[in-house]
Amino acid sequence: FFSHVSSMEEQDKPNAPDVEAPAPERSEADEKPQQSEKAPLVSSKAKKEDDVPLDIRLAWWLASASVVVGSFLAYKVHIGFPASSSRMSRAYIAATLVSWALSISTVVVAVATNGKLPVPMKKKSNAIYAAYGFLLVPILLSGEVPLATISKGVAWLGCTAIMAAGAIGVISTLTKDTAALYGYVVFWFLSLVGFGTVVYYLDSYANNTHVNMWKPRLTSTWEKTVAYAPELICSVESSYECSGFSSTCLFWPKVADRLPNKVQRPQCAPCKQRSAKRCQSAIQKSLLSREGSLLTQAGVVGVAMFSLMASGVFTLFSIMRRKVTQSQDPGMEKALKDAEPIVQELLACRLAMTQLTNEVNAGRAPHQEAFTKVILKLDAIDVTSLEDGPIKERIRMARKQNIEYMEDLSQRALALRDGDGTLTEADEPGAPAEENAAVATDSPAAENAEPGYAEPKDEDDAAEPQEDTTGAGAPESAAQDTPSEQNPAEPQ
């Protein structure tokens, strides 16, 4: 509402067309206040609730970005990992695809509505959270995600978790759900800790330090991967031209069965080609040669995960602070309720101001009674019954600014009635011309106009049928064509 004054001042520019356009027909819908005009007048609090704060918007976009990254990683896993030797479970595939679709659709809806989620989606947010939990059950029980292994199923589970966490982050930030947002922050904290642990293990493994820390765990992971995803082990052995992990599989299965020590067998996948080089040392050399770039990439991923966690923490505290502030200021609700009748009066004045502004901008000059009536209504608005506070002060300021605007608009209308842009002391209207009669009767200001009021049509008859006391006179063409110069009392 308070910005409406400045918008009307921008519209308040001289706009005198050469030929007056016919007045548009006014329907009943034009006379009724539009909802878009009422909305800013209800309260400043309503506008704040509709706008998405900066902190929530930042957390929302970061969460959406995590869904996009998770989708990209899922695609890279699909084309980068070898196909499973055994057919994947239908329950696993169905639950994974539904989870991806739910995450992506959540981001699409949030972006399409500019952060203003539909009301049914807000009310059913807990059902959406529960849906992810139900989808996790068939994924884990399908047998495609054995723990402590490296397989396509495990990689897709990680991508699904990233996408689901991002979607939950989007919904929780936009609905200001502190409980779900807390779980979102915890997820990224645990993910960051786990990612840092993996990076530390791999760095120790590449530099061959803390052997007792990483060797048993990596050996166990290798053996479990051989059992659940042998195709991935064969792909690794083919890439690094090695076999086995801590022991070579060159002579397996021909010789390994006859050896007393069976430790080699769990590390050997049924691959076609064999190598005498162990994969442990081969992968170590490869990681060590690319240690700088790998650590840089790990650092970027770590910073991204930390940013997601930090934005969630900041948004969580911001929402909690807003709730505490609102609970500590119960008088604000009462002040808004008490100010509602006054706001409705301001709304009525605003609609009248808009109509008068449109009339003046269209080249028509409403009578001064119309301006005086609006000014008196604004001046009659009494704010003494309101409690002292920001709402009372803003209403008082708006009333003052609107009165000043109406006074300026009234002076502009007087100048427009003179026809040549100058003010005159005489303000006696003449009889309306026949060609302008329809426009005068259809105009909203017609009921306030005096019987003798005439609207200027164009430059040739812009002069009023009254005596020119300023000395400026009318244009030469008007002086030659109209008889009012010779006899001002006689109407055109």
Side-chain angles (χ1 to χ4, degrees), residues 1-334:
F1 170 76
F2 303 104
S3 62
H4 181 69
V5 176
S6 60
S7 64
M8 288 195 299
E9 290 176 352
E10 292 179 0
Q11 299 176 0
D12 187 15
K13 295 179 180 179
N15 185 14
D18 295 336
V19 179
E20 181 182 358
E25 297 182 0
R26 299 181 180 272
S27 60
E28 295 181 0
D30 296 335
E31 302 297 333
K32 296 179 180 180
Q34 301 295 328
Q35 188 66 23
S36 59
E37 295 178 342
K38 288 183 179 180
L41 288 174
V42 174
S43 66
S44 59
K45 179 182 177 182
K47 183 177 181 180
K48 291 181 180 178
E49 289 180 351
D50 292 339
D51 294 339
V52 180
L54 180 60
D55 53 347
I56 294 181
R57 185 176 293 274
L58 177 61
W60 159 39
W61 281 106
L62 288 176
S64 302
S66 68
V67 176
V68 176
V69 171
S71 305
F72 175 75
L73 292 178
Y75 172 73
K76 296 295 289 184
V77 169
H78 174 66
I79 64 175
F81 277 55
S84 301
S85 56
S86 60
R87 189 174 183 180
M88 286 189 174
S89 171
R90 293 183 179 179
Y92 168 80
I93 295 177
T96 302
L97 293 179
V98 171
S99 178
W100 293 354
L102 183 59
S103 302
I104 295 174
S105 61
T106 299
V107 174
V108 171
V109 171
V111 174
T113 58
N114 194 22
K116 300 174 184 178
L117 298 178
V119 175
M121 193 172 182
K122 291 182 178 180
K123 293 182 177 179
K124 301 296 183 180
S125 58
N126 292 332
I128 298 176
Y129 305 150
Y132 282 109
F134 285 116
L135 291 173
L136 189 62
V137 174
I139 292 177
L140 295 178
L141 298 181
S142 62
E144 301 292 340
V145 191
L147 300 178
T149 63
I150 301 174
S151 63
K152 199 168 188 176
V154 173
W156 268 348
L157 175 63
C159 299
T160 304
I162 294 175
M163 296 172 65
I168 292 175
V170 170
I171 298 176
S172 60
T173 52
L174 295 180
T175 58
K176 301 178 179 63
D177 189 346
T178 54
L181 194 57
Y182 178 78
Y184 172 78
V185 172
V186 171
F187 169 82
W188 284 115
F189 174 75
L190 296 177
S191 300
L192 184 61
V193 172
F195 180 75
T197 304
V198 171
V199 171
Y200 179 73
Y201 268 78
L202 291 179
D203 183 67
S204 302
Y205 166 64
N207 293 277
N208 202 26
T209 58
H210 306 92
V211 178
N212 295 330
M213 177 184 68
W214 56 262
K215 189 171 183 177
R217 291 176 172 82
L218 291 182
T219 302
S220 175
T221 301
W222 182 279
E223 293 175 356
K224 290 182 179 180
T225 305
V226 168
Y228 287 100
E231 68 280 351
L232 182 60
I233 295 297
C234 293
S235 176
V236 172
E237 291 180 353
S238 176
S239 299
Y240 291 96
E241 297 181 354
C242 61
S243 64
F245 186 71
S246 59
S247 301
T248 181
C249 296
L250 178 63
F251 304 106
W252 186 87
K254 295 181 180 180
V255 179
D257 290 337
R258 292 178 290 180
L259 294 176
N261 190 359
K262 304 290 185 180
V263 73
Q264 294 177 338
R265 297 192 61 181
Q267 298 184 13
C268 300
C271 305
K272 294 182 179 180
Q273 61 181 17
R274 301 294 179 185
S275 175
K277 186 170 54 176
R278 296 178 305 164
C279 290
Q280 174 183 326
S281 57
I283 298 175
Q284 276 181 333
K285 292 179 181 180
S286 177
L287 292 177
L288 191 60
S289 63
R290 298 181 298 165
E291 183 179 15
S293 61
L294 292 177
L295 289 178
T296 301
Q297 296 174 12
V300 172
V301 174
V303 170
M305 297 174 71
F306 178 80
S307 300
L308 289 166
M309 184 189 68
S311 65
V313 171
F314 183 76
T315 306
L316 179 62
F317 279 102
S318 178
I319 294 174
M320 293 176 64
R321 185 176 66 250
R322 289 192 185 98
K323 290 184 177 181
V324 171
T325 303
Q326 293 176 1
S327 62
Q328 292 178 350
D329 190 14
M332 181 63 68
E333 296 291 339
K334 182 178 181 299

